[in-house]
Amino acid sequence: MKTMHNTVPEMTPDAPPAPAPVRRVAWLRTTMPWLIRREIWEHKGMLTWVPLAISALLIAFVLAAAVMGHGGTIHFDGNTIGGKDMVIQLGDRQKQAAVETAATVYPVGAAVLYLSLAFMVFFYSLGALYDERRDRSILFWKSLPVSDSATVLSKAAIALLVIPLLVVVVELATSLVILAIMLVMTASKGLNLAGPVLSHPQLWLAFVKLPSLVPVYALWALPAVGWLLLVSAWARSKVFLWAVGVPALAMVVLFWAEKSLGLALNAGWLVEKFISRLLVSVMPATWLMADGLAARVRDGVREGPAAISDTLYEASWAAVATPEMLWGALAGAGMIAAAIWLRRRREEG
């Protein structure tokens, strides 16, 4: 018969701790999603309303332009063409080219959202660790059983993955609406391209290509996000001036040393490959400036919209293997590690 004495050890909480791999998996499945949801909740205005507001403005502008231009006229060589009764007629080859262009280039219609992505990542990273010290909420968050590493890594994940993925989704949805407006407008002029455009494979490949480039963006933007988080954890005030002023001063010193002191520094190369990465890397597609990629993209420009799209996509993934991407990612990881170290020691308001 089993005695009470023998059953107590099985119910006591003093069980041996789980192995380290099990703890890491549990941390990724429970703590990290909670921290990311907390960041989204704290920055709900910037992460949701800013891209949605820009999307609404773009759609309203295109819709207004389509309605106002419905009865417009074109003056060419002394003649007036257009009006409400204008009919667009294209040959088969011209129609095929128009379909390929519309199905391939339509994401460019809302490309201004990618500019907002750069600003969102920049200012989010810059204030991520400074704001919690300024309003002293860091004292509350440090009272929770969450490590500094988990907190800083969750903020890096927001900047490198969540914001880019959110902007890509909004951008694709906005581009589709703009494309639909353009198709309706051309259909009203006698040129119905809806069927061929909607059945073109390039239209739907964009839903695979653009989200799949988010990891490329994360690796390329890592040095900039790492630098901004480091400044955000270190600076006691004026974080913007520190974040922008230090790289700008380093550029001035390099050019001054090269021109005035005659040092063989190749300041332009150093600025392009190292210092500018601290600020410019948050802009999407700047990874195409890496060595060897510009010529590859230039060769694909002559082959039509679909070939250009494929070339840009392949060149983007080819950038992952460049030394600029790999060394930049290592430097960014090092700066994030330094930001974690600083957060453990900075609690002042």
Side-chain angles (χ1 to χ4, degrees):
M1 182 177 177
K2 207 171 186 179
T3 64
M4 179 64 75
H5 175 73
N6 292 332
T7 59
V8 170
E10 298 177 3
M11 300 175 63
T12 182
D14 297 332
V22 176
R23 290 201 302 271
R24 281 196 290 269
V25 172
W27 176 77
L28 287 174
R29 294 178 59 184
T30 58
T31 306
M32 185 57 73
W34 182 86
L35 289 172
I36 290 176
R37 285 200 296 272
R38 168 203 140 186
E39 289 296 317
I40 294 173
W41 173 74
E42 281 193 339
H43 300 85
K44 188 176 180 180
M46 182 185 73
L47 298 181
T48 58
W49 294 117
V50 169
L52 290 178
I54 295 174
S55 171
L57 284 175
L58 283 174
I59 293 172
F61 176 78
V62 172
L63 191 60
V67 171
M68 294 175 65
H70 178 69
T73 57
I74 301 173
H75 300 281
F76 177 73
D77 196 20
N79 300 315
T80 300
I81 307 171
K84 293 182 179 180
D85 299 328
M86 182 180 70
V87 176
I88 303 174
Q89 292 183 337
L90 297 177
D92 291 340
R93 291 182 59 183
Q94 293 170 319
K95 189 179 293 185
Q96 185 178 359
V99 168
E100 182 178 335
T101 301
T104 306
V105 181
Y106 79 97
V108 178
V112 68
L113 278 163
Y114 292 129
L115 184 63
S116 72
L117 164 63
F119 282 99
M120 289 168 66
V121 171
F122 181 93
F123 285 105
Y124 169 80
S125 303
L126 193 58
L129 298 173
Y130 171 72
D131 290 344
E132 64 178 10
R133 286 186 290 119
R134 185 183 57 180
D135 59 17
R136 300 189 70 80
S137 62
I138 188 174
L139 300 176
F140 169 75
W141 296 116
K142 275 183 172 286
S143 67
L144 300 178
V146 179
S147 67
D148 295 286
S149 302
T151 301
V152 176
L153 290 177
S154 69
K155 294 175 184 294
I158 289 286
L160 295 170
L161 297 173
V162 175
I163 295 177
L165 191 58
L166 176 67
V167 171
V168 166
V169 171
V170 175
E171 197 272 345
L172 282 172
T174 307
S175 298
L176 272 183
V177 174
I178 292 174
L179 177 64
I181 294 172
M182 301 303 293
L183 291 175
V184 170
M185 186 184 70
T186 54
S188 68
K189 298 297 182 183
L191 182 63
N192 188 357
L193 299 177
V197 169
L198 293 177
S199 60
H200 200 285
Q202 288 291 335
L203 180 80
W204 305 110
L205 277 176
F207 285 85
V208 177
K209 287 181 176 179
L210 291 177
S212 69
L213 289 178
V214 170
V216 179
Y217 176 84
L219 285 174
W220 181 256
L222 199 49
V225 171
W227 165 250
L228 295 171
L229 287 175
L230 179 62
V231 174
S232 184
W234 172 78
R236 297 180 186 277
S237 63
K238 300 178 177 58
V239 284
F240 181 82
L241 289 179
W242 282 111
V244 178
V246 171
L249 183 61
M251 292 182 196
V252 172
V253 170
L254 280 175
F255 282 113
W256 173 79
E258 184 184 46
K259 299 296 182 184
S260 301
L261 302 181
L263 300 179
L265 291 175
N266 195 355
W269 185 85
L270 290 172
V271 168
E272 178 187 350
K273 300 300 180 184
F274 296 97
I275 298 177
S276 65
R277 290 289 306 281
L278 300 178
L279 302 175
V280 179
S281 297
V282 295
M283 181 64 71
T286 49
W287 53 76
L288 295 174
M289 297 188 302
D291 284 339
L293 296 181
R296 187 171 179 171
V297 173
R298 206 164 40 242
D299 294 339
V301 168
R302 307 186 186 93
E303 301 176 9
I308 294 172
S309 174
D310 293 339
T311 301
L312 290 174
Y313 184 72
E314 293 168 3
S316 296
W317 275 107
V320 174
T322 59
E324 295 175 56
M325 181 79 84
L326 299 176
W327 285 111
L330 287 176
M335 286 186 279
I336 289 176
I340 293 171
W341 184 83
L342 281 170
R343 190 180 186 270
R344 293 196 183 104
R345 289 155 179 78
R346 291 291 177 88
E347 297 182 1
E348 76 282 2

